């Protein structure tokens, strides 16, 4: 395998590379938010409320306060003063509305809302005392069932920043649908899912003698968390550093500050001590979730399957205090060529916490419905599902009337189908068997946005010739450390061992939250720019050195390799980089660089990653048991920076899609207004036995417009469309069209 | 009596006195020792992120080892043992252990939070040579969840590290001797005054001691593998005043084969019972692998699985189908009852205060008896059954002479389907007879709809299992390769 190849002395981007953070992670050395200590550390335990809506009438903390070791019990009655205006609680990715303010007042907005924080000298005392906090409530009637309020859905009056609302209708979709010879009109649903990263949320606030705070927080954006803390608590930016060096998964739930951050900082400020607050797995289900969404898809086509009408309508649940929005329906107007398209997206309010982005937010849901409906259309029109996609292939984006920066989806279809053996498929449902099991083959298309966000990075070279690249971005397990180190190594022709990547610290150069699959492309592009600037500074310095060999060349005439700067035309004439730094009488030389989307390109082009997914399932229909035996996921995502990490990202996305398709489902007890299966025993994430053969293909896709480095991002594309491909395979196996995810044993047998 | 827990943390000796007996090993590591490599993902033994390895002398100069979920193990489990965590694996010069290096090389760690659990689980299997093929690795790590990698790279890593050199005999013997020296053979008695009052822990060393202590403390909680009681503490925050550990009693940890029967002591872990149960019928061994992952099987006991009275339980239906009997003891009195009569109603078993399960006796199958177990659940591994079924049907002179059809998940207790059994009696073994039994099954059960399955599913799937049993065991039985008990790979 190429994975043990050494990288010394040659460019490294694009080669399979081991994680630079791997050794720390396998030996217990990587420290997560809840794993920092301080001599004066106090432990906080959150008390969660038990009704879904109403008011707290009384809250009795006396028994808890009597437990030895308990220092304070914070409730809405004795909460220290924080920002009055709710706008101060708004973080970078908050949807429009009034953000939840922990312990703000006696109002209860959702079940599981934090109503108290017990702070004690030991964790055990805090936990034991938390069980003794007794609240009485004046409950009000709540509604957590989306079906009960879907009739009162509305178009969100204020758009969420960064989320494109549905485009204006084009053509006359209703009329075209009415007269279409082939039609599909169906409703699709996906159950509520919780992100369930393996690491529960945690914050450790370490307070120094001068009152400065170092906050170790589980977050996808240290600077977002820092801005939230300074805004809410009226602190100076220079007094608050947020560190998220290691994040044990997040999948979107770490984009917004969670309540344990507020509570830990509040307690640290009030008690003038260091404080740690860790949530339990149960409490993780009181945080945000992927919204339940009811979608109606109408497709009308000519007899051969050429689309003439697309209508996609979605109603998604949101909280009463924020209008969470994601892109659910726009994909239907983007993915296939069609002149009559009507897309609409509405919200309906329920008494839960605000939903949030979860891996490929919106697309996971919308593309499931679209690609299920396309499969239904293929059967209605009597054409092969893959052929149907090719018949309706879109060469440009009709939603925005723009060109694609690149789109190698045809290659995905071709290479994926070839690898899978799609041509051997027998079209008729229930026509393929293996022993007593039914075999089904299904396929679908995946799509996700590709973009970079404004990001800064620093490159710094020491007098010993060691390179450090840094940015306040995050690595939530995605491989940002490694891709940054690779980029730096590449820029200087250094072995990766001579490069250190730093991230996850709000004091580093400005970077956005890590999400939307933009981190690798944005950060590495910024690192390239910083390295370029540093190389130019080194060149300038080198020219001024006595007996410099570079006196008569310009910057283009030098090369960097193996820790040296050399004449491109005469590699023998070289100077060690460390020597250049020393010649400037410095310990290190550094430069900042940045990357940002190019507005001229954006006027003309849109950029997306695409995929084609082919799935085989085997179904024991007497018992309702489905096995996913084979998946081929062919991905077009521009340049692949680290094939090893990229493959892992796709594998993880595919397996998460298997969870969504077959297992993951948060049940609500609508009488109590509460999620019921708040643990890993009853909320099923896939286990290894669910996973068999998964094949990942990256097709060639040159792209010089999405990002300076040529990459598009691969964190989310693996999950999109895969759920539909599984559901389509189940239909092919059984003849049963299940439009309501997850496809559990009882739905197969029903 | 001993009032202290003595053990090795890595290679360092530790003595714990006056600790809360319900302090978990995980909390002890993370908060008291500040060893944070071991993670808490769920605090209920469902995710494996907290996996640690325990080693103890095997009495023959060697070591017995097992990986367990430290989140639901109480500190007393450490007494006389060595506790190894992810921090212990690197060599003194910082070189990673081959298992660790393989995970780095194969990209088996992404966010890294589940990684220490996988490292320790794979390490225990590597040390014990418990796996060599891909399906074995998959079974070995069935109790570890990962949300990032999709598992493939971790399985690859497990296989890649197989050939690395293991510790030599001298090293093992030296450690075994050191641990022998730590052992005291006496009853451990811990007492701790906490915020909710006094807590006591007894770990008797003989059945007589246990009987006497339990009679004196009939309100005590008996703890075996703590795979359930652990959750009372970590999830329900219950204050347990008195706990009695039944796992340090050699008689209860014994398996006895009497020729016609197998007697399983109440303290025998599922791992320890696996071989003997597999010998009774291969389905029983397969059921155990699906019933719980390695870490849980290493802690949980057959006796605990019965005594805790779950309506599903997985093993009880299988043992009821086999006509198992339960030996109970209170003080000096012993009695024996049929296992099926032990389960009186939901949450209610035929067990008096101060009385405990001593053993379960399982008759061996007769040659003319056809037996099978089936477990249906939403997820293949680490999931509670929607329907658990076990059938034992004896044919004499071409007719069904006896039938024991036991189900879990269909009623408030594990229960036989008497109407369906009656329908079978006297018929020829075949689909026709089992069709009649399937119809009669609707008289036996009115199952519930819950998160695991609908009532309709439960009844129909249970009926289909009867049909399947008939087909599989018919003279020209059709081959059935389902994932009911085993996963077919590829």
């Amino acid at each position: 395998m190429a994975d043990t190849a050494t990288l010394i002395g040659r460019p490294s981007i694009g080669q399979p590379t081991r994680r630079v953070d791997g050794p720390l992670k396998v030996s217990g050395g990587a420290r997560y938010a809840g794993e920092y200590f301080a001599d004066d550390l106090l432990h906080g335990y959150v008390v969660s409320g038990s009704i879904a809506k109403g008011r707290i009438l009384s809250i009795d903390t006396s028994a808890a306060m009597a437990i030895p070791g308990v220092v304070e019990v914070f409730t809405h009655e004795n909460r220290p003063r924080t920002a009055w205006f709710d706008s101060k609680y708004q973080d970078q990715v908050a949807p429009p509305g009034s953000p939840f303010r922990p312990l703000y007042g006696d109002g209860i907005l959702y079940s599981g809302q934090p109503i108290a924080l017990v702070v004690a000298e030991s964790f055990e005392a805090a936990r034991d005392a938390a069980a003794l906090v007794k609240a009485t409530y004046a409950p009000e009637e709540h509604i957590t069932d989306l079906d009960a309020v879907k009739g009162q859905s509305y178009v969100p009056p204020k758009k969420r920043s960064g989320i494109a609302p549905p485009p204006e209708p084009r053509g006359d979709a209703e009329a075209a649908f009415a007269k279409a010879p082939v039609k599909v009109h169906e409703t699709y649903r996906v159950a509520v899912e919780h992100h369930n990263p393996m690491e529960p949320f945690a914050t450790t606030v370490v307070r120094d003698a001068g009152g400065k705070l170092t906050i170790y927080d589980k977050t996808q954006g240290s600077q977002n968390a820092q801005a939230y803390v300074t805004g809410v608590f009226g602190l100076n930016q220079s007094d608050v550093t947020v560190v998220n060096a290691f994040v044990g998964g997040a999948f979107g739930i770490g984009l917004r500050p969670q309540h344990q951050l507020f509570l830990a900082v509040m307690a640290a400020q009030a008690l003038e001590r260091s404080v740690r607050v860790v949530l339990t797995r149960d409490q993780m289900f009181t945080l945000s979730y992927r919204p339940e969404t009811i979608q109606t898809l109408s497709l009308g086509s000519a007899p051969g399957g050429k689309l003439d009408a697309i209508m996609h309508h979605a109603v998604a649940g949101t909280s009463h205090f924020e209008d969470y929005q994601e892109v659910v329906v726009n994909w239907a107007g983007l993915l296939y060529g069609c002149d009559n398209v009507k897309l609409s997206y509405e919200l309906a309010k329920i008494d839960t916490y605000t939903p949030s982005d979860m891996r490929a937010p919106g697309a996971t849901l919308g593309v499931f419905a679209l690609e299920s409906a396309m499969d239904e259309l293929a059967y209605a029109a009597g054409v092969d599902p893959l052929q149907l996609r090719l018949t309706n292939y879109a060469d440009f984006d009709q939603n925005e009337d723009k060109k694609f920066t690149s789109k190698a989806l045809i290659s995905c279809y071709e290479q994926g189908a070839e690898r899978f053996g799609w041509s051997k498929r027998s079209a008729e449902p229930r026509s393929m068997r293996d022993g007593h099991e039914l075999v089904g083959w299904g396929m679908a298309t995946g799509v996700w946005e590709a973009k970079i966000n404004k990001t800064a990075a620093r490159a710094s070279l020491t007098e010993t010739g060691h390179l450090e690249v840094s940015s306040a971005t995050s690595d939530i397990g995605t491989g940002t450390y490694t891709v940054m180190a690779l980029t730096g190594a590449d820029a200087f022709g250094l072995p990766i061992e001579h490069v250190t990547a730093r991230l996850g610290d709000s004091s580093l150069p400005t970077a956005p939250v890590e999400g939307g699959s933009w981190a690798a492309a944005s950060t590495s592009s910024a690192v390239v720019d910083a390295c370029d600037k540093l190389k130019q500074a080194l060149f300038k310095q080198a020219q001024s050195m006595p007996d410099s060999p570079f006196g008569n060349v310009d910057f283009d005439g030098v090369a960097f390799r193996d820790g040296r700067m050399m004449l491109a035309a005469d590699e023998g004439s070289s100077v060690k980089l460390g020597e250049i730094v020393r010649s400037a009488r410095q310990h290190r030389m550094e430069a900042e660089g940045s990357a940002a989307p190019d507005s001229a390109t954006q006027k003309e082009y849109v950029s997306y990653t695409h995929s084609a997914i082919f799935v085989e399932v085997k179904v024991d229909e007497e018992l309702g048991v489905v096995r996913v035996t084979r998946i081929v996921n062919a991905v077009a995502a521009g340049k692949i920076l680290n094939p090893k990490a990229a493959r892992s990202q796709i594998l993880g996305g595919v397996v998460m899609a298997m969870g969504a398709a077959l297992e993951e489902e948060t049940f609500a007890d609508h009488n109590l207004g509460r999620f019921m299966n708040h643990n890993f025993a009853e909320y099923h994430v896939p286990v290894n036995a669910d996973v068999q053969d998964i094949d990942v293909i990256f097709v060639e896709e040159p792209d010089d417009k999405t990002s300076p480095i040529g990459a598009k991002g691969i964190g989310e594309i693996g999950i999109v469309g895969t759920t539909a491909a599984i559901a389509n395979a189940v239909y092919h196996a059984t003849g049963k069209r299940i439009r309501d995810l997850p496809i559990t044993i009882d739905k197969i047998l029903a | 009596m001993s009032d202290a827990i003595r053990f090795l943390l890595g290679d360092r000796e530790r003595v714990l006195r006056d600790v809360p007996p319900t302090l978990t090993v995980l909390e002890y590591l993370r908060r008291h020792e500040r060893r944070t490599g071991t993670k808490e993902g769920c605090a209920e033994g469902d995710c494996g992120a907290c996996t640690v390895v325990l080693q103890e002398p095997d009495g023959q100069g060697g070591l017995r080892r097992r990986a367990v979920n430290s989140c639901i193990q109480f500190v007393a489990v450490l007494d006389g043992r060595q506790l190894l965590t992810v921090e212990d694996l690197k060599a003194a010069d910082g070189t990673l252990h081959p298992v660790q290096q393989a995970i780095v090389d194969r990209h088996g760690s992404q966010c890294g939070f589940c990684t220490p659990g996988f490292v320790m689980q794979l390490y225990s299997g590597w040390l014990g040579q418990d796996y060599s093929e891909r399906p074995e690795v998959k079974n070995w790590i069935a109790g570890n969840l990962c949300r990032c990698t999709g598992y493939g790279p971790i399985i690859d890593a497990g296989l890649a590290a197989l050939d690395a050199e293991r510790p030599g005999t001298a090293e093992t013997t030296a450690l075994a001797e050191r641990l022998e020296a730590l052992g005291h053979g006496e009853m451990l008695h811990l007492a701790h005054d906490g915020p909710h009052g006094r807590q006591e822990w007894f770990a008797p060393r003989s059945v007589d001691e246990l009987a006497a202590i339990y009679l004196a403390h009939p309100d005590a909680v008996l703890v075996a593998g703590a795979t359930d009681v652990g959750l009372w503490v970590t999830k329900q925050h219950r204050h347990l005043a008195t706990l009695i550990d039944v796992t340090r009693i050699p008689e209860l940890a014994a398996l006895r084969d009497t020729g016609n029967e197998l007697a399983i002591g109440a303290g025998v872990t599922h791992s320890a019972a696996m071989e003997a149960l597999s010998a009774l019928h291969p389905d029983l061994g397969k059921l155990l692998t699906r019933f719980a992952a390695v870490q849980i099987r290493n802690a949980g006991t057959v006796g605990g699985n019965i005594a805790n009275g779950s309506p599903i339980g997985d093993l009880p239906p299988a043992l009821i189908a086999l006509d198992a009997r339960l030996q109970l003891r209170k003080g000096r009195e012993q009695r024996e009852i049929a296992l099926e009569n032990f389960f009186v109603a939901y949450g209610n078993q035929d067990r008096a205060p101060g009385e405990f399960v001593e053993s379960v006796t399982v008759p061996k199958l007769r040659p003319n008896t056809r037996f099978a177990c089936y477990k249906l659940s939403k997820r293949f591994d680490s999931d509670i059954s929607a329907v658990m079924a076990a059938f034992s049907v004896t044919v004499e002179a071409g007719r069904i002479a006896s039938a024991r059809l036991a189900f879990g998940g269909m009623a408030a207790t594990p229960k036989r389907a008497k109407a369906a059994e009656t329908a079978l009696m006297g018929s020829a073994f075949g689909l026709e007879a089992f069709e009649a039994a399937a119809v009669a099954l609707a008289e036996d059960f009115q199952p519930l709809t819950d998160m695991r399955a609908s009532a309709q599913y439960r009844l129909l799937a249970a009926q289909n299992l009867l049909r399947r049993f008939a087909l599989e065991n018919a003279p020209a039985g059709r081959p059935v390769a389902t994932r009911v008990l085993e996963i077919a790979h590829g």
Side-chain angles (χ1 to χ4, degrees), chain A residues 301-490:
Chain A
S301 82
K306 181 83 193 76
L307 283 165
D308 200 31
I310 300 176
M311 289 185 282
H312 190 175
H313 176 67
V315 177
T318 190
S319 70
H320 275 276
F321 46 96
E322 286 172 314
D323 277 349
Y324 171 75
Q325 295 156 57
E326 55 189 26
V327 177
V328 175
V329 296
N330 304 14
W331 315 101
L334 167 80
L335 204 44
Y336 301 110
C338 184
D339 294 334
N340 300 294
V341 175
K342 188 181 163 195
L343 309 172
S344 50
Y345 173 69
E346 297 183 349
L347 302 177
K349 288 188 181 299
I350 48 175
D351 293 301
T352 67
Y353 190 64
T354 308
S356 76
D357 298 299
M358 178 169 168
R359 203 172 201 170
T364 303
L365 304 172
V367 175
F368 160 67
L370 173 66
E371 288 298 284
S372 294
M374 284 295 281
D375 200 62
E376 300 204 46
L377 184 69
Y379 281 96
V383 300
D384 177 81
L386 175 56
Q387 184 53 50
L388 182 72
R389 268 78 174 183
L390 295 170
T391 301
N392 292 291
Y393 195 82
D395 289 318
F396 74 105
D397 173 14
Q398 281 184 285
N399 278 356
E400 296 193 45
D401 206 10
K402 289 179 185 173
K403 291 180 274 194
F404 292 108
T405 58
S406 60
K407 182 177 174 181
L409 177 56
I410 294 271
S411 307
C412 297
Y413 287 137
E414 287 171 356
Q415 292 181 34
E418 171 68 25
R419 183 80 60 91
F420 186 82
W422 183 257
S423 61
K424 297 187 204 72
R425 178 176 182 266
S426 136
E428 193 62 29
R430 305 180 62 83
S431 62
M432 292 168 68
R433 279 182 178 270
D434 176 13
H436 78 290
E437 282 183 304
L438 293 162
V439 176
W441 287 6
M443 61 84 58
T445 313
V447 57
W448 181 246
E449 60 190 22
K451 63 176 176 189
I452 62 169
N453 259 349
K454 196 175 171 207
T455 300
R458 185 182 300 130
S460 151
L461 196 83
T462 69
E463 58 192 332
T464 60
H466 190 89
L467 179 68
E468 180 185 284
V469 291
S470 59
S471 170
T473 186
S474 311
D475 186 337
I476 58 173
T478 38
T480 321
Y481 276 111
T482 310
V483 94
M484 281 174 69
L486 269 176
T487 309
D490 209 17

Side-chain angles (χ1 to χ4, degrees), chain B residues 4 34 56 106 130 138 163 176 193-194 296 310 315 335 403 416 447 460 472 487:
Chain B
R34 296 193 178 186
E56 63 191 299
R106 304 286 156 150
D130 294 298
K138 292 189 69 144
D163 297 333
D193 292 306
I296 296 292
S310 157
L315 261 190
R335 67 183 175 115
R416 283 172 68 186
L460 182 53
E472 285 173 343
I487 197 151

Side-chain angles (χ1 to χ4, degrees), chain B residues 33-219:
Chain B
E33 291 284 350
R34 296 193 178 186
R35 273 202 188 209
T36 56
T38 310
K39 310 300 184 196
E40 176 179 310
C42 68
E44 60 183 20
D46 278 317
C47 80
C50 65
T51 302
V52 297
V53 173
L54 298 176
Q55 299 210 93
E56 63 191 299
D58 67 1
Q60 285 142 36
L63 292 168
R64 228 187 340 249
R65 77 191 55 81
R66 56 196 175 115
V68 293
N69 295 305
S70 63
C71 68
I72 48 171
Q73 291 300 311
F74 301 128
V75 277
V77 78
L78 301 175
D79 196 27
R81 292 173 176 148
Q82 182 193 36
L83 168 62
L84 293 171
T85 72
V86 72
E87 288 92 345
D88 294 313
L89 265 51
K90 272 203 287 197
D93 66 355
T95 307
L96 295 177
H97 185 274
V99 167
Q100 294 174 312
Q101 187 60 51
I103 289 178
V104 176
D105 291 345
R106 304 286 156 150
H107 216 93
S109 173
Q110 285 193 25
C111 84
F113 202 77
C114 69
T115 305
F118 276 100
V119 167
M120 294 312 288
Q121 182 60 18
L122 285 171
Y123 167 75
S124 78
W126 168 86
L127 209 50
Q129 305 191 44
D130 294 298
Y131 53 79
S132 58
E133 304 287 334
R134 197 171 185 86
E136 290 169 346
V137 180
K138 292 189 69 144
N139 271 330
W140 192 255
I141 58 174
N144 293 75
L145 297 180
C146 170
R147 193 76 160 139
C148 295
T149 62
Y151 298 104
I154 301 172
I155 296 160
D156 293 342
L159 290 168
L162 272 178
D163 297 333
E165 202 184 329
R166 292 173 178 78
T169 320
E171 208 176 314
T172 306
T173 312
L175 179 59
E177 281 170 6
R178 203 171 158 204
L179 287 169
E180 289 281 6
L182 270 183
H184 45 72
E186 294 171 0
M187 179 162 79
L188 178 68
H189 176 225
L190 304 172
H192 176 78
D193 292 306
H196 295 287
R198 195 172 180 79
Q199 275 192 300
E200 282 188 281
W201 176 280
F202 297 93
R205 293 283 180 160
S206 71
V207 176
D208 288 342
E209 265 184 5
L210 166 62
I213 291 168
Y214 198 26
L215 207 56
H217 301 273
D219 294 331

Side-chain angles (χ1 to χ4, degrees), chain A residues 484-525:
Chain A
M484 281 174 69
L486 269 176
T487 309
D490 209 17
F492 279 89
L494 282 170
I496 195 166
E497 294 78 2
H498 292 193
V499 184
T500 302
R502 282 188 63 209
L503 54 75
D505 184 325
S506 62
S507 61
L508 296 172
T510 308
V513 292
E514 179 174 45
S517 294
W518 62 61
S522 308
T523 313
S524 54
S525 294

Side-chain angles (χ1 to χ4, degrees), chain B residues 21-39:
Chain B
T22 51
L23 176 67
T24 64
V25 173
L26 180 63
E27 281 172 16
Y28 160 71
L29 282 169
R30 288 179 62 85
R31 301 202 172 84
H32 297 237
E33 291 284 350
R34 296 193 178 186
R35 273 202 188 209
T36 56
T38 310
K39 310 300 184 196

Side-chain angles (χ1 to χ4, degrees), chain A residues 622-623, chain B residues 372 374 376 387 389-393 400 403-407 410 417-421 423-424 429-445 458-474 478:
Chain A
E622 292 154 12
L623 305 175
Chain B
Y374 302 96
L376 299 176
V387 177
F391 308 142
S392 172
V393 175
I400 294 174
R404 298 179 67 85
L405 312 175
F407 288 87
M410 297 289 287
K418 295 282 177 70
E421 289 175 3
L424 287 177
F429 191 103
L431 191 55
E432 200 180 323
F434 280 86
E435 278 295 349
V439 171
L441 196 71
E443 294 170 38
D444 285 310
F445 296 114
R458 286 191 157 104
L459 188 58
L460 182 53
Q463 289 169 323
N464 285 345
L465 287 175
L466 288 169
R467 297 180 178 111
R468 174 158 301 185
F469 181 71
L471 291 170
E472 285 173 343
N473 288 281
R478 67 167 179 174

Side-chain angles (χ1 to χ4, degrees), chain B residues 285-300:
Chain B
K286 292 175 194 167
L287 174 64
L288 279 178
T289 63
R290 282 208 51 208
F291 155 46
V294 173
Q295 294 96 316
I296 296 292
R297 300 202 297 268
N298 282 344

